[in-house]
Amino acid sequence: VNNLIPDFNDLVYRADWKRALESLLSTNNFPEFTGRICPAPCEAACTLNISGEAVGIKSIEHKITDKGWEEGWVRPQPPARLTGKRIAVVGSGPAGLACAQQLARAGHGVTVFEKNDRLGGLLRYGIPDFKLDKALIDRRIVQMRAEGVAFRTGVYVGNATDACGIGQFTVMNPAQLHDDFDAIVVAGGAETPRDLPVPGRELAGVHYAMDFLPQQNRANAGDALEQQLLATGKHVVVIGGGDTGSDCVGTSNRHGAASVTQFELLP
């Protein structure tokens, strides 16, 4: 997102936290999300990493935004004037929310459509609560409503035969959005998992991460699940060592798995 990293680092060094927040927010709508869950490629690219330890950019970003909320510096920014244009944003994940906020601040009438029963997309139903407290999403939604953004949950935009989501939803024909809005932003995310077509793949007990993780998020939110995938007492194998793999490890441990073994392709 082209964050002005040297700028806000220097402002923090000078204890000018408010200007540091302004610098951070100038390129990043939701630093309280990225400051917690971003894999921090900026730190890997930090030149100090060549001969010593990289600057803790992610933790600095985290602190700046948390201090901004604590001090009351993060406020709604409604537009000074309205353009009269109506824009539909399909998907309420981080991309859809950031896009909606920028468009609303420019004066457009923005409506966000989300197929699931709660807003946030992958932030809500893919990332475990122990990594991202969902109250952080709710706090931003309150701000965005005050800026004029409208939200419609439980609406799947597309073909009924392709519809999939969490909870009950209605299906909306994309042509209707085309008729009702001046522009449409498609921010639905990439929800097709990468399969491993290997012998044994068809056996019971083999699940995609995104079938496993959202269920725990729903349970944490108070939903009653009929057949939740639980690792309790089981020997769990996690294939993949990235963020999603670590989320599955952490969730399995919290379920009380008998053991967890993780496989990673890279050294």
Side-chain angles (χ1 to χ4, degrees), residues 183-215:
I184 303 169
V185 176
V186 179
E191 295 192 345
T192 303
R194 177 179 157 197
D195 202 356
L196 285 178
V198 296
R201 173 62 183 87
E202 74 286 354
L203 297 174
V206 182
H207 305 283
Y208 289 124
M210 289 306 294
D211 290 334
F212 175 58
L213 295 173
Q215 290 190 348

Side-chain angles (χ1 to χ4, degrees), residues 65-79:
T65 185
D66 281 5
K67 187 171 182 63
W69 281 100
E70 290 164 7
E71 297 290 339
W73 296 333
V74 183
R75 299 190 180 99
Q77 299 178 35

Side-chain angles (χ1 to χ4, degrees), residues 250-262:
T251 301
S252 297
N253 281 332
R254 284 162 174 79
H255 282 176
S259 69
V260 180
T261 302
Q262 187 174 26

Side-chain angles (χ1 to χ4, degrees), residues 129-148:
D129 289 16
F130 59 80
K131 271 192 178 178
L132 183 70
D133 186 341
K134 303 307 180 260
L136 299 173
I137 306 172
D138 299 334
R139 184 172 64 179
R140 278 294 183 181
I141 297 299
V142 170
Q143 181 196 37
M144 293 177 65
R145 290 188 195 277
E147 293 172 344

Side-chain angles (χ1 to χ4, degrees), residues 98-119:
C99 183
Q101 186 170 65
Q102 291 298 109
L103 290 167
R105 290 177 176 180
H108 304 308
V110 181
T111 301
V112 177
F113 294 87
E114 169 58 50
K115 68 179 178 181
N116 292 323
D117 52 356
R118 296 182 180 92
L119 299 163

